[in-house]
Amino acid sequence: MPSKSSPLDLIPTSLLKSCSVVFAPILANLANLSFSQGSFPSSFKLAQVTPLLKKPQLDPLIPANYRPISNLSTIGKILERLALPVLQNHITSSANFCVYQSAYRSAHSTETAVLKILDDVHKNTDKGHPSLLLTIDLSAAFDTVDHSKLTERLDKDFGVAGFVGNWIKSYITSRTQFIKFEGEVGPKTAVVSGVPQGSVLGPLLFSTYVSPISRIASHFEISQHHYADDTTLYVRLENLSCVTTNLTECVDAMRAWFFINGMQINPDKSEIMVIGTRAQLKKVECTKKDISIGGASVSFSDTVKILGVTLDKHLSFDKHVSEVCQMMNYHIRGLRHIRPHLTVNQASQLGCSIVFSRLDYCNSVLHGTSVHNLNKLQRVQNNLARVVLNERLRNSASPLL
């Protein structure tokens, strides 16, 4: 585990790790008692919620623009980590688990999810047909999981019952939380729904909860892929009017399922786009009409963002590369301001972290993109190397890299 501690910890994580000979038997005994009795310790059910802005440019005065991150006790998260491998293997190997869910699974990532979607879209294009792609976003998805429906689904769909079922029920129920924001602490309140964002088991339990929606898409013969609460539906476009009608009926069925299960589609963040060659798009350009999503009309757009990757209707990735370069230049300017106060090693670590998190993120989707785009990315990396090593902008970047 990382050595960082939670604000709720009585014992710092670094002390737990450095004195593992003392603490390991105590924690093992606690875990054995918890699992054998099917009960999660109530003293670890308190969470300190820290609201974080989803994006820097959003209005900080609007509560909906914040993501509630739960800081939980480190010892409680150790118990979660001990339970995770067994639960994950059992649930993900079940036929009722959504095979198109890429989140929180071994050998699956945001990159493999985007590649799967792109591969299917390219196959449609090669067969002479464009693809209709729709992204669906849920409102406060993790916070609206119904506890009774979750335990029922775990029992009936995945056979998680007995002591294990009781332990999970004990884990998700009777939780409390308080909000700490800019030094102010709110009162403790009971958590009546949802799984904690920032927990170890929460993501797996959420994926389990929403697994049935894959059957809805399969029923309407629509291709799909999911990453946590992000759902992407796409279909080969042979007849636009027939396809959009089928897609609308599928979304209406999903909307009804979400409503029954205490969730709601957010039409404001849902996007739709047609992808194909210029000749293929010309055939459908004049027949495109808005599609109803969650009772709201959604217009066709020229770009769609999926898991941080911006797709355009021709899959040129021009806009995606421009956005990456813009963000990289923003961080490089910030690094340039503080560079005189850093050692070469410190500057190098910061530079590499910027590259790994921005430049290298999902870079395999750029296979086949234009030389112009690759050169733009290379120039950004060259400038970063010059800043890290305090070299002039005109100096060659090859030895610096």
Side-chain angles (χ1 to χ4, degrees):
M1 292 182 66
S3 294
K4 61 181 181 180
S5 295
S6 165
L8 302 178
D9 288 343
L10 296 176
I11 304 173
T13 306
S14 57
L15 182 60
L16 282 175
K17 296 174 75 172
S18 62
C19 301
S20 59
V21 174
V22 175
F23 287 109
I26 300 173
L27 293 175
N29 185 49
L30 173 65
N32 289 331
L33 287 172
S34 175
F35 294 143
S36 62
Q37 296 177 7
S39 175
F40 189 83
S42 57
S43 55
F44 302 138
K45 292 185 181 182
L46 176 65
Q48 175 185 301
V49 177
T50 304
L52 297 178
L53 266 179
K54 295 178 180 178
K55 296 180 181 178
Q57 64 268 27
L58 295 177
D59 187 351
L61 298 180
I62 300 177
N65 290 338
Y66 289 87
R67 180 176 285 106
I69 303 300
S70 299
N71 292 303
L72 304 168
S73 166
T74 297
I75 295 178
K77 292 178 79 170
I78 289 175
L79 294 180
E80 292 183 63
R81 284 177 180 269
L82 291 171
L84 179 64
V86 180
L87 283 173
Q88 192 170 42
N89 290 337
H90 175 77
I91 290 174
T92 56
S93 62
S94 169
N96 288 325
F97 187 79
C98 175
V99 295
Y100 304 106
Q101 175 65 259
S102 286
Y104 325 114
R105 294 177 65 188
S106 176
H108 293 71
S109 66
T110 55
E111 190 162 14
T112 61
V114 176
L115 286 174
K116 174 65 170 68
I117 296 170
L118 291 177
D119 185 54
D120 291 342
V121 169
H122 279 303
K123 288 177 181 177
N124 292 339
T125 304
D126 292 341
K127 293 177 181 178
H129 299 286
S131 299
L132 182 66
L133 186 144
L134 170 68
T135 62
I136 296 177
D137 184 81
L138 297 176
S139 300
F142 278 73
D143 299 324
T144 53
V145 173
D146 186 293
H147 292 162
S148 60
K149 283 186 170 65
L150 173 58
T151 52
E152 182 182 0
R153 188 153 297 137
L154 284 166
D155 182 8
K156 292 185 177 180
D157 288 5
F158 299 96
V160 178
F163 284 113
V164 181
N166 292 336
W167 188 88
I168 294 178
K169 183 178 180 180
S170 173
Y171 167 76
I172 60 176
T173 57
S174 303
R175 303 189 74 94
T176 55
Q177 64 183 22
F178 65 93
I179 297 176
K180 185 173 183 179
F181 185 67
E182 295 183 349
E184 298 293 328
V185 178
K188 292 182 181 179
T189 56
V191 179
V192 295
S193 66
V195 290
Q197 295 193 51
S199 64
V200 176
L201 288 177
L204 176 64
L205 295 177
F206 176 83
S207 298
T208 305
Y209 187 72
V210 298
S211 276
I213 64 170
S214 65
R215 303 170 205 165
I216 298 175
S218 298
H219 173 75
F220 286 91
E221 298 182 346
I222 290 179
S223 300
Q224 59 184 305
H225 211 86
H226 310 269
Y227 197 94
D229 58 336
D230 292 323
T231 297
T232 303
L233 304 177
Y234 53 99
V235 62
R236 187 167 65 188
L237 201 55
E238 298 178 6
N239 184 308
L240 183 62
S241 58
C242 293
V243 169
T244 51
T245 300
N246 189 43
L247 184 63
T248 302
E249 291 176 354
C250 176
V251 174
D252 287 342
M254 284 187 171
R255 180 191 177 196
W257 186 92
F258 284 127
F259 180 77
I260 293 171
N261 287 271
M263 294 181 168
Q264 183 179 8
I265 292 177
N266 185 357
D268 294 334
K269 292 185 178 180
S270 298
E271 299 176 297
I272 188 168
M273 179 177 67
V274 179
I275 301 174
T277 63
R278 297 183 188 278
Q280 291 169 356
L281 296 184
K282 271 188 177 181
K283 297 178 182 178
V284 297
E285 196 66 37
C286 59
T287 58
K288 287 193 299 188
K289 297 180 181 179
D290 293 355
I291 287 184
S292 176
I293 303 294
S297 181
V298 178
S299 302
F300 284 82
S301 59
D302 292 332
T303 60
V304 165
K305 179 164 282 192
I306 299 177
L307 302 175
V309 177
T310 302
L311 307 181
D312 57 81
K313 59 184 180 181
H314 300 304
L315 294 184
S316 66
F317 292 100
D318 291 347
K319 184 171 177 58
H320 175 71
V321 170
S322 296
E323 290 176 351
V324 170
C325 291
Q326 182 180 1
M327 183 60 67
M328 287 282 293
N329 287 328
Y330 172 81
H331 289 298
I332 290 172
R333 286 194 297 271
L335 181 59
R336 183 179 286 115
H337 287 309
I338 64 173
R339 179 61 187 87
H341 308 287
L342 303 175
T343 64
V344 174
N345 187 49
Q346 290 170 336
S348 179
Q349 288 181 352
L350 279 175
C352 288
S353 67
I354 294 173
V355 169
F356 293 146
S357 62
R358 301 291 177 182
L359 198 62
D360 283 355
Y361 176 75
C362 286
N363 59 8
S364 61
V365 304
L366 298 176
H367 175 73
T369 191
S370 65
V371 175
H372 173 70
N373 282 337
L374 295 179
N375 287 340
K376 286 175 67 175
L377 295 170
Q378 187 62 58
R379 283 195 295 271
V380 169
Q381 189 168 4
N382 292 347
N383 291 335
L384 177 61
R386 293 186 183 103
V387 171
V388 167
L389 296 176
N390 262 336
E391 295 286 343
R392 295 181 179 181
L393 291 177
R394 295 182 179 179
N395 289 359
S396 173
S398 296
L400 307 180
L401 292 172

